[in-house]
Amino acid sequence: MKKKLIIILGIVVSIILVLGVKFYMDEEKLNKEMMNVVYSDEAKEVFEKRLTNLDPKAFTEKGLIHSYKIEEGSIEHNPMGGIEVGLIINNDSELYVSYTLSKNNGELSGGASVVSEKLSKLLGRWEEY
């Protein structure tokens, strides 16, 4: 009786370990795929287009937005679909924009966005000049 219990317990523990490793590997694969998308040239075009929509003079001397970098810790899968990603503007962590990237009809696009309060205020004042 004890032998059967030990064998069953061993099988259950083995199954749990195998499933744990599988879920971990699936998560790692998803993270790698998301990183590839976010750092792709196609995503760069989307980011720059969206930032230019916020600041028509972005990436020029007269613009407020001169540069951006991807905040690596912000990259995550959106449960509604797509990838959440944050961009830090001009190396100032208080100036940021978050986007939801998704593929529609095979084309990458930037969906919903969140603009930091400080950036929003600066962009509002910047348009006056």
Side-chain angles (χ1 to χ4, degrees):
M1 184 69 173
K2 278 188 173 182
K3 225 178 191 181
K4 277 187 175 181
L5 186 61
I6 290 173
I7 291 172
I8 291 172
L9 186 61
I11 290 171
V12 169
V13 168
S14 296
I15 290 171
I16 290 171
L17 284 173
V18 168
L19 289 174
V21 168
K22 182 190 179 332
F23 289 135
Y24 174 78
M25 296 302 283
D26 288 346
E27 176 104 7
E28 284 298 310
K29 182 180 176 188
L30 179 63
N31 287 340
K32 190 177 233 181
E33 288 173 4
M34 287 191 307
M35 291 293 199
N36 287 339
V37 170
V38 168
Y39 286 99
S40 70
D41 289 337
E42 191 177 10
K44 181 179 178 182
E45 287 178 29
V46 170
F47 295 146
E48 290 178 1
K49 180 179 178 186
R50 295 298 298 261
L51 292 172
T52 305
N53 288 342
L54 287 175
D55 175 10
K57 296 177 183 175
F59 309 112
T60 68
E61 283 285 319
K62 295 181 180 182
L64 174 69
I65 299 173
H66 297 285
S67 65
Y68 71 92
K69 69 177 180 178
I70 297 166
E71 186 179 5
E72 216 169 286
S74 71
I75 301 169
E76 59 184 33
H77 177 71
N78 183 324
M80 300 297 286
I83 302 169
E84 295 288 330
V85 61
L87 304 178
I88 297 175
I89 307 299
N90 300 341
N91 289 319
D92 184 343
S93 61
E94 291 183 22
L95 303 177
Y96 65 86
V97 182
S98 299
Y99 291 110
T100 302
L101 291 177
S102 58
K103 281 221 177 206
N104 297 318
N105 299 325
E107 188 174 316
L108 192 65
S109 64
S113 64
V114 176
V115 179
S116 71
E117 183 179 359
K118 184 176 178 182
L119 180 59
S120 181
K121 285 179 181 178
L122 287 173
L123 287 169
R125 284 191 217 133
W126 196 261
E127 290 174 0
E128 296 171 7
Y129 295 105

